Amino acid sequence: MSEQRISLNDKFDLTKSPVLLNGTQALVRLMLAQKARDVAAGHSTAGYVTGYRGSPLGAVDLQMTKAAKWLAGSDVTFNPGLNEDLAATALWGAQQAELRGEGKFDGVFGMWYGKGPGVDRSGDVMRHANMAGTSALGGVLMAMGDDHTGESSTVLHQSEWALVDAYMPVVSPAGVQEILDYGLYGFALSRFSGLWVGLKTMKDTIETTAVVDGDPHRLNFVLPKFDMPEGGLNIRLGDTPHAQETRMIDYKRFAAEAFSHANKMDKRVWGKPGAKIGFVAAGKNWLDLQHALALLNVTEAEAERLGITTYKVGQTFPLDMQGFHDWAEDLDLVVIVEEKRKLIEVQVKEAIFDDRQGRRVYGWYKGGAGGMHRDELFPTRGALDPIWIAEKLGNILIEEGRGTDGIRAGLAALNEARAGDNASEIASRLPYYCAGCPHNSSTKVPEGSRAYAGIGCHYMVQWMDRETTGFTHMGAEGANWIGEAPFSKTGHVFQNLGDGTYNHSGSLAIRAALAAGTNITYKILYNDAVAMTGGQPNEGELSPYRIVNEIKAMGVKDIFVVYDEKEDVDLKKFPQGIEIKERADMELVQKQCREIKGVSAIVYIQTCAAEKRRRRKRGQFPDPDKRVFINKDICEGCGDCGVQSNCVAIVPEETELGRKRAVDQSACNKDFSCLKGFCPSFVTVEGATVKKGATQELDLPDLPEPVLPAIDGTFNVVITGVGGTGVVTIGAVMAQAAQLDGKGAGMMEMAGLAQKGGAVHIHCRLANKPGDISAIRVATGEMDTLIGGDLVVSAGAKTIGLMRTGRTGGVVNSHEIITGDFTRNTEFSIPSDRLQLALEARLKDRVTLFDASELARAVMGIRFIPT
C-alpha cells in the first residue's frame, strides 16, 4: 500500500494533484482553474455558472452548492436558472458586464449546463447570444448533457447539431481528464473567436470517476495568426444583426478552426505518415475505438506494422480541415467511428473531396451506393459499443488483407462472447415510487377518468395501471389536450404537473389552456423538491401559497387545496374562497373538478418521501411517533393495503397458512395510506424505536489475506443493486481505495431513473496505472467480478451478458427484494430459483449466493421493541 495523504477536500484544492474526481466535480474544478489561470496572467476576472439540471448533468447544482466556499474564494457565482433558456440569457448578460465601463472585473467567464432537451428549448437565445459574441476576457462554455440511448430521458438526444446550427464550436472530451482540459481550451477558444463553445458530455464521460492531473497550469494555448476584421470578434455594443451575421460567417467560424489547428486539438495518436488505413473517432467513441483495438489484439506497434494510423478529434465542429488533410494524405481508406447523426463524417468528406480519386471513406455506410441497400457500418440510431466496433473493424482489416492471427483470434473470442449473450429476461426491476411517495395518492383518478403524465417522477405512473397514458415535453403539460379536446369524445382530462416543472415553464401551459377555454384539471403536486434529480429545492423559494395565488391571478377560478394532514401546512396563508380538503377527500375533489367547465386546479401538498427521510435524519421534519405493523395471524393476504397505498414497503410474508403481508420497517416512510383499507390485521404502535444490540460482542475469526489477481490491462468489476440503497457509494469507495493504493480506477454510474427503486449498475475498471483505462463501460463478456446487491438485477439479461464462463466470479445477495409489480399483482413472486439457476449456469462454481439481510440481522441484532 502507498502512503499517500489524501482528503475528500482535494477535489477542489488546486494545490493538490493528482485527484479523484467525477465529471460534475470536474466542472467545479474547471471554474476554479480558469480563475487561477487568469490571476497568473494578471487579469481580474470573475466566473458565473447557471443552467438547469438533468441527467447526465443532474448533480451539477448539488456539486456547485457543496463547493460554495471554494467558488466564492475565486469570485465564481453559482445561480441556478429557473429554466435553461433564461439561464442562457443571463450568461449573455454576463458577457456585457464591462462593456459600458460599469464592470467590477475585466470580464466574466461563464458556464451553462443542461441536458439535451434543455439545449433544444434554448435555441433562440443560443443563436442571439452567439451572434452577439463573448467578452475578450470572458468566454462561455455550454455543458450539454446528451443521452444517446434514452437511459434516463423521454427522448434519445444528441445536441451537436443544434449547436452547429447556431455556429457554435463543439469539443468532445473523452473522460474526466479531458473535461478539465477541453474546458480550459473552450474558454480560450471562446475568448479568441467570440463564440460560445459547446462541451459535449455523456454518461460515459461525465457520470464517471477517475484519477486526473488537476494542475490548472498544465496546458498552454497559442493564438493563431488570423486576419481579424475591424473591431475584432468579441461582443460589442450597437452591433446590427447584419453585421453580426457577417462576422459570424466570414470570420468567427474560421477563427475557431484556426484556433483548433494552432493548438493541435485533433491529432495522430498511432501510426506514422505513409499508413494506408486510418481510424477516426472523438469523445466517448474514441474510448470505444481504443477498447475495440485492444479486443482485436492490435497494439500500437502492431498497428504501425500493419499500416494503420488513428486520429483523435477533440473539436468536432468546426473540424480542423488542414490538420485532417495532412493526416489523411497517404491513406487509401478512412474509417470514422461515430454514433448517432454523423458530424465528423460529413466534414471529413468535405476536407478531402478535391483530393485524389479512389480514396474511400467508411462511416454510416461501408462505401457503395444505393441508400438503404448499402452495407450499414455504424448506425445513426442507438449507440455503439466496443464489441460492435471491434467486429466491424476486424472484418474490414481482413478484407483489406491485414487479417493477422491476433485479429482473427480476437474476432473468435468476440463471437464466443456473443454466443453467450443469449440470456432471457426472467424478472425486471422497473423504477417505482418510493414508499410513501405523494404520487401514490396524487396520481389516482376516479373511475371513468383519465390523465396525462409529464416530466418528473409522475412519468412513471404510466406503467402502474392508473389510467394515465401519454406525456409531453417539459413545460407543455396539458397543451396537447388543447389540440386533442375539440376532436375527442372525452370531455375532460386530468393533467399531472410537478412543482418543479410548474416553476420551470409549466405555468405558461396553464395560461394556454385558459386562453383556449379547455376542459382540464391540473393536479399540481407541491412536494417541496425537484425529486427526480436528487431532491434539489425549487428555485426562488416556491411555496404552495404562491402557486395558489399565481394560478388565481392567471384566471383559474376553481382551485382546490388538498393536503396531507400530517404535515405542517398553514391553511390561513391561502386566499379566501379556496376550498381546502384533507388527503382522504382527494377522490371527491377530483369528481367535483371533472364536472367543471374550463380550467380547474388541485394543488396537492405532500413532501417528497425521499426528502422526508433525509430531513428526519437531520431533525428538520416532523417524525410521527408511530409505526404500522401487520399481524400475520389475522392478515388474509387480500392485498387491499397495497392497492390502497401503491406502496413498495408492503411486502409479502410467506407463512405455513399461505402468503400474508408485512410492512418493511426499513423502507416505510410513515405515510400510513395503507391504513385506508378496512383491515383488522393492522396494528399501530406508538413509541416504537429501533433496538440495536450484540455488535459490542461481535467476535470475528482471523480472516486470511486474499490472493489478489494480477491485473492484465484492466480488472473489471460490476456492482448491481436497487436505486437508493448505496450501490453508487460502493463504487466510489472502490475507486478511492484504488487511488490510495496508487492504482488507476475508472467508475461509471448507470442510474438515471433507477435511483427510484430501479435497477442500478456500477461499472468499475481497475488498472495498474490510469493510462491503462480507456472506455469504462464494461462490454459483453468482459466482467471479472460481480458484486450483486440484488438477485433480480444480478441475474438480469443485461448483467449476465457481461459475464463469461470461466472468467467471471460473483458474490450475490439472494435476499428477495420485492419489485413494484407486487403492488398491482397480489400473487407476484420473485422467481428466485430461476434467477439463481441462471447465475449458476453462467458462472458455474464461481458464484456465491447468501442472504445478506439475514446475515446483517444476525450480526447487528436488530429488532423493534415498543417502549
Side-chain angles (χ1 to χ4, degrees):
M1 295 285 289
S2 65
E3 294 184 358
Q4 301 181 69
R5 297 183 63 85
I6 291 174
S7 165
L8 292 177
N9 291 324
D10 291 353
K11 55 183 174 288
F12 301 138
D13 186 344
L14 297 185
T15 66
K16 300 294 178 65
S17 186
V19 291
L20 183 72
L21 293 175
N22 64 35
T24 49
Q25 292 165 348
L27 294 179
V28 178
R29 190 173 178 109
L30 168 61
M31 298 301 291
L32 303 175
Q34 183 59 49
K35 173 65 175 185
R37 291 173 65 91
D38 284 343
V39 170
H43 304 312
S44 174
T45 61
Y48 187 68
V49 181
T50 186
Y52 196 83
R53 66 235 143 197
S55 181
L57 295 171
V60 173
D61 54 351
L62 291 174
Q63 292 294 344
M64 291 287 174
T65 301
K66 289 179 181 178
K69 291 183 179 179
W70 295 94
L71 294 173
S74 292
D75 296 314
V76 177
T77 298
F78 170 59
N79 184 20
L82 197 65
N83 61 36
E84 296 88 349
D85 55 311
L86 295 177
T89 308
L91 270 175
W92 181 10
Q95 296 307 294
Q96 307 173 39
E98 79 282 359
L99 285 184
R100 300 171 181 83
E102 303 166 355
K104 299 177 182 178
F105 297 90
D106 298 336
V108 180
F109 55 94
M111 183 197 301
W112 177 98
Y113 62 92
K115 70 186 300 179
V119 174
D120 292 339
R121 75 169 292 120
S122 304
D124 193 8
V125 63
M126 285 161 51
R127 187 180 302 277
H128 275 86
N130 197 45
M131 292 285 276
T134 60
S135 169
L137 287 174
V140 176
L141 285 181
M142 288 194 71
M144 46 181 181
D146 277 352
D147 187 356
H148 286 188
T149 56
E151 290 181 66
S152 58
S153 310
T154 55
V155 292
L156 286 70
H157 46 78
Q158 172 194 20
S159 295
E160 295 102 302
W161 285 97
L163 271 65
V164 169
D165 189 52
Y167 278 93
M168 289 187 187
V170 179
V171 294
S172 186
V176 181
Q177 180 70 67
E178 290 186 354
I179 288 173
L180 287 172
D181 295 347
Y182 287 15
L184 293 173
Y185 167 87
F187 280 129
L189 167 61
S190 182
R191 291 173 173 184
F192 175 77
S193 65
L195 294 167
W196 288 38
V197 176
L199 182 75
K200 184 178 178 69
T201 70
M202 299 173 60
K203 177 183 289 294
D204 295 65
T205 57
I206 197 160
E207 288 192 330
T208 63
T209 298
V211 178
V212 300
D213 183 345
D215 180 1
H217 306 290
R218 66 188 297 266
L219 299 177
N220 292 308
F221 304 114
V222 298
L223 301 181
K225 294 181 180 179
F226 189 78
D227 186 15
M228 290 285 184
E230 183 180 355
L233 298 177
N234 296 109
I235 192 169
R236 54 190 181 183
L237 295 175
D239 247 358
T240 66
H242 294 85
Q244 288 179 352
E245 185 189 50
T246 298
R247 287 201 301 160
M248 177 72 73
I249 304 299
D250 294 344
Y251 293 96
K252 287 187 175 185
R253 180 240 186 264
F254 297 102
E257 185 178 336
F259 196 82
S260 175
H261 185 72
N263 288 282
K264 297 181 173 56
M265 276 296 282
D266 308 338
K267 54 180 70 70
R268 183 192 304 270
V269 179
W270 280 5
K272 293 181 178 179
K276 296 303 178 183
I277 299 176
F279 298 145
V280 184
K284 177 255 182 186
N285 290 142
W286 172 257
L287 300 176
D288 292 337
L289 172 60
Q290 286 183 301
H291 194 168
L293 291 172
L295 292 172
L296 292 172
N297 302 305
V298 177
T299 63
E300 183 174 3
E302 180 73 351
E304 187 173 325
R305 188 183 72 80
L306 294 173
I308 298 171
T309 180
T310 61
Y311 193 68
K312 182 174 185 294
V313 176
Q315 182 172 303
T316 56
F317 176 81
L319 185 70
D320 172 9
M321 296 294 194
Q322 183 59 50
F324 185 86
H325 186 277
D326 294 345
W327 172 77
E329 181 68 27
D330 300 312
L331 297 177
D332 294 329
L333 173 63
V334 177
V335 181
I336 299 151
V337 179
E338 185 177 18
E339 65 191 28
K340 307 305 281 186
R341 182 180 172 189
K342 311 309 177 187
L343 174 59
I344 299 174
E345 181 180 344
V346 294
Q347 295 179 91
V348 162
K349 289 177 176 177
E350 179 184 347
I352 61 176
F353 181 80
D354 293 327
D355 283 2
R356 57 184 170 82
Q357 294 292 318
R359 178 179 295 166
R360 293 162 293 155
V361 177
Y362 292 177
W364 183 0
Y365 292 104
K366 184 181 161 186
M372 292 296 292
H373 300 290
R374 289 187 290 168
D375 186 4
E376 188 176 51
L377 192 61
F378 300 122
T380 57
R381 60 192 172 279
L384 302 179
D385 65 68
I387 303 293
W388 177 281
I389 295 168
E391 289 172 337
K392 296 296 185 180
L393 296 186
N395 289 326
I396 288 172
L397 291 173
I398 290 173
E399 291 171 4
E400 297 296 317
R402 290 165 171 81
T404 65
D405 291 343
I407 290 173
R408 294 180 189 278
L411 287 173
L414 294 177
N415 288 334
E416 180 185 348
R418 285 282 195 203
D421 186 16
N422 58 359
S424 59
E425 198 70 84
I426 299 171
S428 60
R429 187 172 295 285
L430 285 173
Y432 215 80
Y433 296 148
C434 304
C437 175
H439 289 301
N440 284 329
S441 297
S442 69
T443 55
K444 283 185 177 181
V445 294
E447 186 176 353
S449 290
R450 68 178 178 89
Y452 285 105
I455 301 303
C457 289
H458 59 86
Y459 175 85
M460 296 187 285
V461 74
Q462 295 180 100
W463 51 79
M464 297 181 191
D465 302 331
R466 289 202 163 189
E467 299 302 324
T468 301
T469 56
F471 63 94
T472 68
H473 60 286
M474 193 170 189
E477 284 82 355
N480 53 332
W481 180 241
I482 295 174
E484 182 183 349
F487 314 103
S488 175
K489 296 177 182 177
T490 298
H492 171 275
V493 297
F494 292 95
Q495 174 65 59
N496 295 294
L497 180 65
D499 53 355
T501 301
Y502 170 88
N503 206 28
H504 173 276
S505 50
S507 58
L508 194 60
I510 299 176
R511 289 175 58 190
L514 281 164
T518 306
N519 292 341
I520 188 172
T521 299
Y522 280 91
K523 294 199 292 184
I524 305 171
L525 171 65
Y526 182 82
N527 66 353
D528 198 19
V530 183
M532 179 158 278
T533 53
Q536 296 98 319
N538 280 297
E539 286 73 25
E541 299 181 353
L542 184 72
S543 71
Y545 319 109
R546 201 175 94 193
I547 292 175
V548 169
N549 279 291
E550 285 178 357
I551 60 177
K552 187 173 186 288
M554 288 178 198
V556 181
K557 295 181 173 60
D558 297 285
I559 303 172
F560 301 80
V561 170
V562 179
Y563 71 101
D564 184 353
E565 60 278 9
K566 297 188 299 298
E567 298 191 18
D568 186 15
V569 180
D570 188 348
L571 303 180
K572 296 179 181 178
K573 288 187 176 181
F574 291 108
Q576 291 184 351
I578 303 298
E579 282 201 53
I580 301 174
K581 301 288 186 180
E582 293 186 356
R583 183 173 66 162
D585 296 322
M586 181 66 165
E587 183 171 8
L588 294 175
V589 170
Q590 290 185 91
K591 287 180 177 179
Q592 186 175 345
C593 284
R594 69 182 180 184
E595 302 302 322
I596 294 172
K597 298 298 182 182
V599 178
S600 56
I602 301 169
V603 178
Y604 181 83
I605 306 169
Q606 185 181 347
T607 304
C608 166
E611 277 302 295
K612 283 181 184 177
R613 184 179 291 268
R614 293 188 188 105
R615 294 176 191 179
R616 281 170 178 162
K617 287 181 178 179
R618 300 167 187 154
Q620 299 172 349
F621 197 86
D623 189 1
D625 187 17
K626 184 169 69 172
R627 288 188 178 270
V628 174
F629 294 84
I630 298 175
N631 186 330
K632 66 182 180 182
D633 292 334
I634 300 174
C635 174
E636 295 181 351
C638 69
D640 186 56
C641 51
V643 172
Q644 293 295 330
S645 64
N646 198 46
C647 183
V648 293
I650 302 291
V651 296
E653 177 84 6
E654 305 299 343
T655 74
E656 59 184 9
L657 297 178
R659 171 174 283 191
K660 304 298 185 78
R661 297 294 183 274
V663 177
D664 181 353
Q665 297 296 331
S666 65
C668 179
N669 273 317
K670 302 183 180 181
D671 179 62
F672 304 141
S673 57
C674 54
L675 298 175
K676 290 178 65 177
F678 180 74
C679 182
S681 67
F682 275 83
V683 179
T684 56
V685 179
E686 297 182 2
T689 59
V690 177
K691 181 73 173 180
K692 295 182 180 180
T695 54
Q696 294 180 353
E697 302 297 327
L698 185 62
D699 183 19
L700 291 176
D702 291 333
L703 299 175
E705 289 291 327
V707 178
L708 297 179
I711 298 179
D712 182 13
T714 62
F715 189 86
N716 310 319
V717 181
V718 174
I719 308 159
T720 65
V722 182
T725 59
V727 186
V728 174
T729 302
I730 296 174
V733 169
M734 187 173 292
Q736 184 77 74
Q739 184 198 14
L740 289 169
D741 202 19
K743 288 183 166 52
M747 188 268 287
M748 180 169 63
E749 306 167 13
M750 309 282 283
L753 268 178
Q755 65 182 301
K756 302 301 178 185
V760 177
H761 293 80
I762 303 299
H763 291 212
C764 186
R765 290 187 187 266
L766 307 175
N768 289 317
K769 57 183 186 298
D772 292 339
I773 301 172
S774 54
I776 296 175
R777 188 187 295 252
V778 178
T780 302
E782 287 193 327
M783 185 196 304
D784 292 301
T785 294
L786 168 67
I787 301 175
D790 175 58
L791 183 59
V792 172
V793 184
S794 298
K798 183 177 179 180
T799 310
I800 285 185
L802 305 177
M803 304 173 185
R804 185 182 298 182
T805 304
R807 172 175 180 170
T808 309
V811 179
V812 179
N813 175 22
S814 61
H815 180 75
E816 292 188 2
I817 306 172
I818 201 69
T819 70
D821 299 275
F822 183 66
T823 63
R824 307 186 308 280
N825 179 3
T826 59
E827 299 304 316
F828 176 80
S829 296
I830 301 289
S832 296
D833 290 345
R834 293 174 59 201
L835 294 169
Q836 292 186 30
L837 282 173
L839 285 171
E840 291 165 353
R842 184 58 57 93
L843 301 182
K844 307 300 182 186
D845 60 349
R846 301 197 65 193
V847 61
T848 300
L849 294 130
F850 65 94
D851 191 320
S853 297
E854 287 296 329
L855 179 62
R857 279 193 285 268
V859 171
M860 303 298 291
I862 297 178
R863 53 199 172 119
F864 283 91
I865 297 179
T867 59

